[in-house]
Amino acid sequence: MVVVGGGGAGLSAALTALDNHQSVIVLEKFPAIGGNTVRTGGWVNAAEPKWQKAFPALAGEADYLKALADTPESEIAPEYLSDFRTLKDQLANYFLDVDAGNHYLFDSTELHLIQTYLGGKRTNLDGESIYGQYDLVHTLTSRAMESIDWLTEKGIDFNRGMVDIAVGALWRRAHKPNRPKGVEFVEKLQKHIIAQGGRIITDTRADDLIIENGQVVGIHATHSNGTKYKLTTKQGVVLASGGFGANTKMLQKYNNYWNEIADDIKTTNSPALVGDGIAIGETRGRISRYGVYPADANW
């Protein structure tokens, strides 16, 4: 398998493939791996109610939950209604506990899902309401603890003595490694990849997909010294090269929310995130929404 991108997504994909007894090469265009993951605060949001219940509620949290429960169903998209009603039932039981003097931190996968939906709900420049695609939001929130468990299995040392709220998040459900920022994820996953025989090639930019008989079978790439690579595989190609948060022109091209994006806008994203993996996919006419191009895919 060839994995394009050496950030958290690419390293996770590579290690998963290695765990399934596949050979793996990771291509990273920058001199060092890490992508946006190494720049993060290190928090991973996942609802783990049994763990969170051990922590006391903070002032204002119950009031927020009551306001959320009172949200008119007319404001909830149809595909989210069932989960919203389940959440309201959960909160009704929680409020009984609060009335009985039991003030603990409440959470559930349904609360995570509804907060993600409401947090992303907005009106675009065409006056249309836009929000997260249900199946993707559901996968993100209902399976987030699988990520925590998998990372723990790989040796990530999470601080179980505190529950935190990440910058920009809406609730105290962040699992945070004891080591600062995202370096814990990158270093531990890298060690596992190398120990299991995976190769990581830095300073090497993916240029194009190799397609034979309608199937993706590899990647053309170029090292920073000009060396050309042709990497073929029977196991698939994963494009995990990130978004385009550091590409102002692409932001302006696809923006349908802000009235204006300045040419000199700043970003906290890695300067690597310029959308080149997306451009590679676009030149071939289609991108899998999951970013994965298996070798037996029909295009």
Side-chain angles (χ1 to χ4, degrees):
M1 175 177 284
V2 178
V3 177
V4 179
L11 297 178
S12 297
L15 187 51
T16 299
L18 288 165
D19 285 344
N20 284 279
H21 312 293
Q22 298 185 22
S23 60
V24 174
I25 294 176
V26 178
L27 299 181
E28 169 56 50
K29 68 180 180 183
F30 266 37
I33 62 171
N36 253 14
T37 298
V38 80
R39 303 166 73 93
T40 69
W43 297 283
V44 182
N45 282 317
E48 189 180 358
K50 185 176 180 180
W51 170 61
Q52 291 164 276
K53 192 174 182 178
F55 296 91
L58 298 181
E61 288 179 340
D63 292 335
Y64 164 82
L65 293 173
K66 288 177 180 177
L68 182 61
D70 289 338
T71 302
E73 290 193 352
S74 60
E75 296 183 12
I76 306 296
E79 59 267 43
Y80 285 91
L81 266 178
S82 177
D83 294 284
F84 179 63
R85 290 166 180 163
T86 298
L87 173 60
K88 291 209 304 185
D89 290 341
Q90 295 169 347
L91 290 175
N93 290 325
Y94 172 68
F95 297 145
L96 291 175
D97 286 345
V98 171
D99 291 341
N102 192 2
H103 298 269
Y104 57 87
L105 173 59
F106 169 85
D107 204 2
S108 69
T109 57
E110 288 79 12
L111 175 60
H112 193 182
L113 180 140
I114 293 300
Q115 287 180 313
T116 302
Y117 158 67
L118 292 175
K121 186 180 179 183
R122 56 204 185 277
T123 302
N124 66 17
L125 295 178
D126 297 324
E128 301 169 332
S129 178
I130 53 176
Y131 51 85
Q133 186 174 311
Y134 177 81
D135 59 340
L136 299 182
V137 174
H138 183 268
T139 298
L140 168 71
T141 55
S142 67
R143 302 188 64 180
M145 269 308 299
E146 293 181 33
S147 296
I148 300 296
D149 294 338
W150 185 81
L151 289 166
T152 301
E153 176 189 315
K154 300 306 179 187
I156 306 302
D157 182 24
F158 287 102
N159 183 350
R160 307 294 292 178
M162 63 176 293
V163 60
D164 211 343
I165 182 168
V167 175
L170 297 173
W171 202 246
R172 288 192 296 150
R173 60 171 64 94
H175 297 66
K176 187 175 183 179
N178 279 306
R179 293 179 70 193
K181 304 189 182 299
V183 66
E184 171 79 351
F185 304 123
V186 175
E187 287 192 1
K188 291 285 177 65
L189 296 182
Q190 179 186 24
K191 287 179 181 178
H192 279 287
I193 290 169
I194 294 172
Q196 292 178 221
R199 291 183 60 196
I200 300 175
I201 304 175
T202 56
D203 279 315
T204 303
R205 179 188 300 272
D207 298 320
D208 196 10
L209 298 168
I210 301 172
I211 299 177
E212 296 178 357
N213 300 319
Q215 297 180 344
V216 179
V217 297
I219 281 284
H220 288 292
T222 305
H223 191 273
S224 60
N225 65 10
T227 302
K228 298 289 185 180
Y229 292 93
K230 180 181 179 181
L231 303 173
T232 57
T233 174
K234 295 180 179 180
Q235 299 167 323
V237 174
V238 177
L239 292 181
S241 49
F244 50 90
N247 186 332
T248 304
K249 294 302 181 184
M250 284 188 77
L251 288 172
Q252 292 169 336
K253 177 181 177 180
Y254 292 108
N255 169 51
N256 193 22
Y257 180 62
W258 293 280
N259 289 321
E260 180 183 3
I261 294 179
D263 290 334
D264 59 349
I265 191 172
K266 306 302 181 184
T267 180
T268 58
N269 284 274
S270 164
L273 296 187
V274 294
D276 37 11
I278 295 172
I280 288 173
E282 286 182 332
T283 62
R284 293 299 185 171
R286 193 184 76 177
I287 299 178
S288 164
R289 71 181 180 186
Y290 299 108
V292 178
Y293 297 85
D296 60 352
N298 292 317
W299 286 60

